[in-house]
């Protein structure tokens, strides 16, 4: 249940100031997110989720509970078929778990899943759209071999201006003209009072664990440079590929059997890589259900400054071969956890510097 309580806060970052107003929430702000400064000339702040398993270590139990609460806020009477769309790279696991929860709760078999990607595949494109503020602005969506949807559930970790979502929804509505309804599902909705819903091509509702506003006062400006522009435009290419969402899936993908991984001895961290996050989360969940002390994180292309929510930062080569730097935040090798790095790109694609920094074991899923 959403509680209507207006609360305000100011957060000072090296790049400027965030003035935050929470208007409604069913999770406390500090349980959902923290904030950090971006190394990004287009947007100087980063909302750092505490429940996503990306920039901050998160237990799979917390991830599951937040997704279950979010999925419960999505209308159950959407006209079918329904397509759940997860946005790369941050909201892929979130979107895929929302898909899983919607099918479980509703019993419907006409709810499918598809995620955007920044990987080139030998498969026809459905559409392409832009995330204007992002460090990696281009998104590709491949044409799934599934019935055309009548409803969309678009999943992202947070909404601020709504520009990316209206860009995506317009591209999808052009490709699938039979779409009648759209739901945007997000952990934190910071768009209260903005008019972006008027730019959506179909009637749209928002489901969120928190609704509020972010007002940004720019301070120090990170100068744009050729390296940033190269990162924003870069796409990887996957010669081999196992479809766990990029080409669309009907039913949820089965989690990996725990018998294929090393035995767990002591506290464990499972690190997903880039867009490969759902199966590592499901593995962590299985291990947690068996009694393991396990947290989930993932590498990211998002360049952030140390400070605020970012206590530590590792930089290494992208395992998808784009040449763009990748990062892992808040994974302190001194915290006593064994580290597994989960990947879909082959052991040779993982930067040895990352493996050495974490003393990690590589866990691969074959294409």
């Amino acid at each position: 249940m959403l509680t209507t309580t207006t609360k305000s806060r100011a957060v000072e970052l090296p790049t400027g100031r965030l003035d935050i107003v929470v208007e409604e929430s069913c999770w406390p702000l500090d349980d959902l997110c923290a904030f950090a400064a971006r190394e990004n000339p287009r947007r100087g702040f980063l909302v750092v989720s505490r429940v996503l398993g990306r920039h901050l270590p998160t237990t799979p139990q917390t991830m599951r509970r937040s997704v279950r609460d979010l999925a419960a806020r999505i209308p159950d009477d959407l006209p079918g078929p329904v397509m759940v769309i997860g946005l790369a790279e941050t909201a892929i696991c979130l979107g895929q778990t929302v898909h899983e929860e919607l099918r479980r709760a509703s019993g419907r078999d006409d709810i499918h899943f598809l995620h955007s990607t920044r990987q080139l595949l030998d498969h026809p494109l459905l559409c392409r759209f832009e995330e204007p503020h992002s460090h990696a602005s281009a998104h590709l969506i491949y044409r799934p071999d599934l019935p055309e949807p009548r409803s969309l559930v678009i999943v992202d970790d947070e909404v601020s201006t709504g520009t990316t979502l209206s860009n995506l929804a317009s591209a999808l509505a052009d490709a699938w003209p039979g779409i009648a309804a759209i739901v945007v599902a997000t952990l934190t909705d910071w768009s209260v009072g903005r008019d972006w819903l008027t730019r959506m091509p179909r009637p749209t509702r928002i489901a969120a664990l928190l609704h509020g506003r972010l007002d940004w006062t720019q301070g120090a400006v990170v100068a744009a440079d050729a390296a940033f522009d190269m990162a924003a435009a870069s796409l990887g290419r996957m010669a081999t590929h196992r479809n766990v969402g990029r080409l669309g899936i009907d039913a949820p993908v089965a989690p990996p059997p725990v018998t294929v991984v090393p035995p767990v001895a002591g506290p464990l961290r499972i690190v997903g890589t880039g867009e490969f996050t759902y199966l590592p989360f499901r593995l962590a969940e299985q291990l947690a259900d068996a009694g393991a002390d396990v947290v989930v994180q993932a590498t990211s292309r998002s360049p952030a400054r140390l400070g605020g929510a970012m206590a530590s930062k590792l930089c290494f080569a992208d395992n998808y071969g784009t040449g763009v730097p990748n990062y892992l935040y808040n994974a302190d090798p001194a915290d006593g956890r064994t580290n597994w790095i989960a990947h879909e790109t082959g052991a040779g694609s993982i930067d040895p510097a990352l493996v050495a920094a974490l003393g990690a074991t590589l866990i691969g899923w074959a294409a």
Side-chain angles (χ1 to χ4, degrees):
M1 179 178 177
L2 284 174
T3 301
T4 303
T5 306
T6 301
K7 297 180 180 179
S8 301
R9 180 184 303 179
V11 176
E12 295 289 343
L13 297 170
T15 49
R17 189 185 75 229
L18 274 173
D19 291 297
I20 301 164
V21 177
V22 176
E23 296 197 347
E24 294 181 314
S25 67
C26 57
W27 280 56
L29 172 65
D30 290 333
D31 287 356
L32 281 174
C33 63
F35 303 91
R38 289 179 185 259
E39 294 283 1
N40 183 331
R42 299 174 185 169
R43 178 176 288 182
F45 67 91
L46 180 67
V47 179
V48 183
S49 175
R50 296 188 185 277
V51 300
L52 199 62
R54 172 70 63 171
H55 299 105
L56 290 165
T58 311
T59 66
Q61 299 96 317
T62 298
M63 295 170 69
R64 175 65 67 179
R65 186 164 61 92
S66 65
V67 175
R68 189 161 287 169
D69 286 355
L70 177 58
R73 309 201 63 78
I74 297 171
D76 58 8
D77 59 350
L78 292 172
V82 177
M83 184 68 77
V84 180
I85 307 281
L87 269 69
E89 61 186 358
T90 306
I92 290 175
C93 181
L94 175 63
Q96 203 151 354
T97 314
V98 165
H99 166 248
E100 182 188 336
E101 285 293 326
L102 289 178
R103 287 182 62 111
R104 181 196 61 79
S106 68
R108 293 174 60 168
D109 61 4
D110 66 342
I111 302 175
H112 313 307
F113 177 74
L114 178 67
H115 70 76
S116 71
T117 181
R118 297 186 176 104
Q119 309 305 321
L120 294 167
L121 306 173
D122 185 16
H123 192 85
L125 272 180
L126 177 73
C127 63
R128 176 176 176 147
F129 68 99
E130 297 295 319
E131 184 177 3
H133 69 267
S134 179
H135 54 282
S137 59
H139 287 253
L140 307 175
I141 293 188
Y142 289 97
R143 185 175 298 280
D145 185 18
L146 293 166
E148 290 196 8
R150 294 188 61 224
S151 299
L152 298 176
V153 176
I154 300 175
V155 183
D156 206 356
D157 60 308
E158 57 99 5
V159 177
S160 49
T161 67
T163 300
T164 299
L165 298 176
S166 59
N167 288 348
L168 168 58
S170 295
L172 291 173
D174 287 344
W176 290 324
I179 290 170
I182 299 173
V183 175
V184 169
T186 183
L187 297 169
T188 53
D189 166 30
W190 301 107
S191 69
V192 173
R194 298 183 183 271
D195 65 354
W196 69 275
L197 289 174
T198 64
R199 303 194 301 273
M200 295 291 280
R202 300 290 189 274
T204 301
R205 289 174 278 186
I206 303 176
L209 301 182
L210 178 150
H211 297 274
R213 302 191 307 274
L214 290 180
D215 292 314
W216 173 244
T217 302
Q218 184 71 46
V221 177
V222 177
D225 59 22
F228 184 89
D229 290 338
M230 190 261 300
S234 64
L235 296 169
R237 180 174 291 279
M238 300 185 73
T240 58
H241 171 255
R242 176 187 175 190
N243 178 34
V244 292
R246 290 187 184 95
L247 305 185
I249 56 172
D250 181 2
V253 178
V258 295
T259 54
V260 304
V261 298
V264 179
L268 173 67
R269 176 181 9 254
I270 299 180
V271 179
T273 44
E275 296 180 359
F276 186 67
T277 48
Y278 175 73
L279 288 179
F281 156 67
R282 293 291 284 119
L283 173 61
E285 192 170 45
Q286 284 187 317
L287 294 171
D289 288 344
D293 173 0
V294 57
V295 295
V296 179
Q297 294 184 240
T299 64
S300 173
R301 289 173 54 154
S302 182
R305 295 190 183 191
L306 288 175
M310 303 309 198
S312 65
K313 176 179 178 178
L314 297 172
C315 181
F316 44 90
D318 180 16
N319 61 298
Y320 290 97
T322 63
V324 176
N326 275 215
Y327 306 93
L328 181 64
Y329 300 97
N330 299 303
D332 184 358
D335 67 3
R337 291 188 177 273
T338 298
N339 293 286
W340 294 353
I341 299 174
H343 62 88
E344 61 176 342
T345 52
S349 70
I350 306 299
D351 191 335
L354 175 62
V355 177
L358 297 178
T361 298
L362 298 181
I363 306 294
W365 276 263

